[in-house]
Amino acid sequence: MQAELDSLNKRKVFGPIVITPKAVKPVGYKWIFVRKRNENNEVIRYKARLVAQGFSQRPGIDYDETYSPVMDAITFRYLISLAVSKNLEMHLMDVVTAYLYGSLDSDIYMKAPEGFKIRDALSSKPKEMYSIKLQRSLYGLKQSGRMWYNRLSEYLISQGYTNNLICPCVFIRKTTSGYVIIAVYVDDLNIIGTHEEIHEAIVLLKKEFEMKDLGKTKYCLGLQIEYLNNGILVHQSTYTEKLLKRFNMDKANPLSTPMVVRSLNVDNDPFRPCEDNEEVFGPEIPYLSAIGALMYLTNCTRPDISFAVNLQARFSSAPTKRHWNGIKHIFRYLRGTIDLGLFYPNNSKEGLVGYADAGYLSDPHKAKSQTGYVFINGGTAISWRSQKQTLVATSSNHAEVIALHEASRECVWLRSMSQHILTSCGLEKDQNPTLMYEDNAACVSQMKEGYIKSDRTKHIPQRLFSYTRDLIKDNQVDMRYVQSSNNSADLFTKALPTTTFRKHVHDIGMRHVQRM
């Protein structure tokens, strides 16, 4: 606690102690205590943090804009694949008390914390009458994240770094000898480049901010990064083990797939909504907590459980025993695949490739289908999605058209993001169209020919055809047919038999730590 107060005084966070003005409502404070852990789940540091109770701030008075961008997981995975392919190093830096560097954009007063010394001249009145005017963005304030990002962004840009609205948390600097990339996630800075450029970037950052040098990036945001002779493996073994222990599934019998193959009979479907005669679980069953924990795993390194988690999340408002058994089935699958992760090889010459698919009537109870797509860069997945469609598809062709439209939108952003990074680094960008594979031959033909009104297509919105068709005409996308057995997006649209499931998991670049 004393170390935290010393840091606050060093950063000149606290302004003068004043009698609280009549029109001001000072925010409260709270001490937060945290155990910081490493990739082996070992406690490495005990940390105390003085936090402002920002929930009492009033919009338009105490703050205006609060949005602060952070690096998304897709961009981070792309940067890892770029680092592997270009033989670059990855270095992790942590900014000490990052939020305290940001200046506030409005006047904010905080109640005087316990133990805070008040001048003798002011001590004659009750302590409750006084408050401290904050000069820096203290943790807990609604605009603190934004103020810190603005401060870091202004400094890096002034030092010759460039960034773009496409990926605002990626800062790139081109030098005569190479280039360096700084990927920002709040106060964690991943620096990617050659050894000399990384050293120069570290010196530059240390001039302005107090930094902790964490060395080679091995553990970041719960992701474990293993450096192998033939590439990099990204996994979340420690997080998965912690998750299984949390839900008392660490000694469960492992299973080979994350969910059972569903019955075509609506009445026998184990994943049907809650019925009138079924008991709905209350808050004593941690269903929502399990869904949230699994979603983080899904979004970072485990695309193999995307469909199962998406399906189970639909019943969060009224889960029953059947649905909870489905959650435990996923946990049992994780129990047998704790060390499974995404492997980025250093010998792959493959560029960006996309796969799209749709599961017709994946939700037979509401007549909705499922969109699934995955984009692979360098032989390994960097972006994927499994999502129930919002429109009711009247045929499998209709469902595939919707899925291709969604995949095309993601493809445009991926191309923009990757080309911006490559261009800023002075690297040669891929001028060829992105290959996108689809297992519905009629759908591929329709996309190439454009919208043609007929009895089969007159009810489908023309925009679903036009957008993808324009991408094909502009030479941004090359649509091709692929057999269903080789369509990796099939993994994201339905429950699959064990053999097919394992094939697709292998095809998108997932490997076990022990087998590398």
Side-chain angles (χ1 to χ4, degrees), residues 29-215:
Y29 67 91
K30 186 176 183 180
W31 280 100
I32 303 295
F33 303 96
V34 181
R35 297 181 184 91
K36 302 290 283 186
R37 299 176 182 271
N38 61 10
E39 67 272 16
N40 298 318
N41 206 31
E42 299 168 342
V43 177
I44 56 174
R45 187 159 58 98
Y46 293 91
K47 185 175 179 181
R49 180 78 75 197
L50 180 65
V51 177
Q53 293 177 321
F55 57 79
S56 60
Q57 288 182 264
R58 297 161 293 176
I61 300 173
D62 298 322
Y63 67 91
D64 293 309
E65 185 64 59
T66 62
Y67 171 73
S68 176
V70 292
M71 177 184 60
D72 60 276
I74 299 172
T75 303
F76 188 46
R77 287 190 292 264
Y78 175 77
L79 290 174
I80 291 174
S81 68
L82 179 67
V84 172
S85 62
K86 302 299 180 183
N87 195 26
L88 304 176
E89 295 181 15
M90 296 177 65
H91 205 88
L92 185 62
M93 302 288 290
D94 179 63
V95 185
V96 178
T97 58
Y99 279 14
L100 307 186
Y101 286 99
S103 300
L104 289 170
D105 56 354
S106 56
D107 292 336
I108 296 179
Y109 295 81
M110 187 181 79
K111 296 175 183 176
E114 293 273 343
F116 197 84
K117 295 180 180 179
I118 297 177
R119 298 194 309 272
D120 293 339
L122 302 175
S123 60
S124 58
K125 295 182 180 180
K127 183 181 177 182
E128 292 74 19
M129 294 182 62
Y130 297 101
S131 59
I132 304 173
K133 186 176 182 181
L134 298 178
Q135 298 183 141
R136 298 285 182 181
S137 53
L138 190 65
Y139 285 87
L141 297 177
K142 291 184 179 292
Q143 68 267 53
S144 291
R146 181 175 181 83
M147 295 299 101
W148 156 242
Y149 171 79
N150 290 344
R151 173 78 172 81
L152 177 64
S153 177
E154 288 169 5
Y155 176 69
L156 290 177
I157 290 173
S158 69
Q159 298 300 317
Y161 284 82
T162 61
N163 78 330
N164 191 287
L165 290 175
I166 296 170
C167 37
C169 290
V170 177
F171 296 85
I172 302 171
R173 184 183 182 188
K174 178 76 174 67
T175 64
T176 54
S177 59
Y179 53 89
V180 63
I181 303 169
I182 300 179
V184 180
Y185 192 97
V186 191
D187 59 350
D188 289 327
L189 310 184
N190 267 289
I191 308 174
I192 302 168
T194 57
H195 186 76
E196 292 82 8
E197 272 75 31
I198 288 178
H199 177 71
E200 291 176 6
I202 291 173
V203 171
L204 188 75
L205 288 166
K206 285 185 175 180
K207 282 183 181 177
E208 190 73 8
F209 309 108
E210 184 180 348
M211 309 285 293
K212 280 184 181 174
D213 192 338
L214 303 178

Side-chain angles (χ1 to χ4, degrees), residues 264-391:
L264 296 177
N265 188 334
V266 175
D267 296 329
N268 294 332
D269 182 12
F271 304 104
R272 62 188 182 276
C274 175
E275 297 175 341
D276 295 337
N277 59 347
E278 281 189 290
E279 179 188 359
V280 177
F281 284 160
E284 70 278 359
I285 301 297
Y287 193 89
L288 282 171
S289 297
I291 289 293
L294 288 170
M295 284 179 67
Y296 181 69
L297 198 58
T298 299
N299 292 334
C300 291
T301 60
R302 296 302 296 265
D304 52 328
I305 62 172
S306 291
F307 176 72
V309 174
N310 178 268
L311 181 62
Q312 296 293 346
R314 300 173 194 173
F315 311 110
S316 298
S317 59
T320 67
K321 186 177 180 179
R322 288 184 288 104
H323 305 132
W324 183 240
N325 287 337
I327 292 289
K328 291 196 288 186
H329 192 116
I330 299 175
F331 283 140
R332 289 191 175 97
Y333 168 70
L334 292 176
R335 175 72 179 83
T337 58
I338 288 176
D339 63 342
L340 191 63
L342 294 166
F343 175 66
Y344 296 89
N346 55 16
N347 57 357
S348 176
K349 304 298 181 183
E350 188 178 359
L352 187 65
V353 179
Y355 293 87
D357 194 20
Y360 181 55
L361 290 185
S362 173
D363 183 4
H365 311 282
K366 294 187 178 179
K368 296 288 182 67
S369 302
Q370 188 83 0
T371 288
Y373 64 72
V374 58
F375 285 89
I376 296 171
N377 189 66
T380 307
I382 61 168
S383 174
W384 56 82
R385 173 171 289 185
S386 179
Q387 184 180 41
K388 186 167 76 170
Q389 295 179 357
T390 55
L391 300 176

Side-chain angles (χ1 to χ4, degrees), residues 474-500:
D474 294 342
N475 209 35
Q476 295 187 52
V477 170
D478 183 9
M479 196 73 61
R480 295 187 183 181
Y481 169 77
V482 66
Q483 292 182 346
S484 295
S485 58
N486 295 322
N487 189 354
S488 298
D490 205 29
L491 183 67
F492 302 88
T493 60
K494 61 179 74 70
L496 298 171
T498 303
T499 305
T500 309

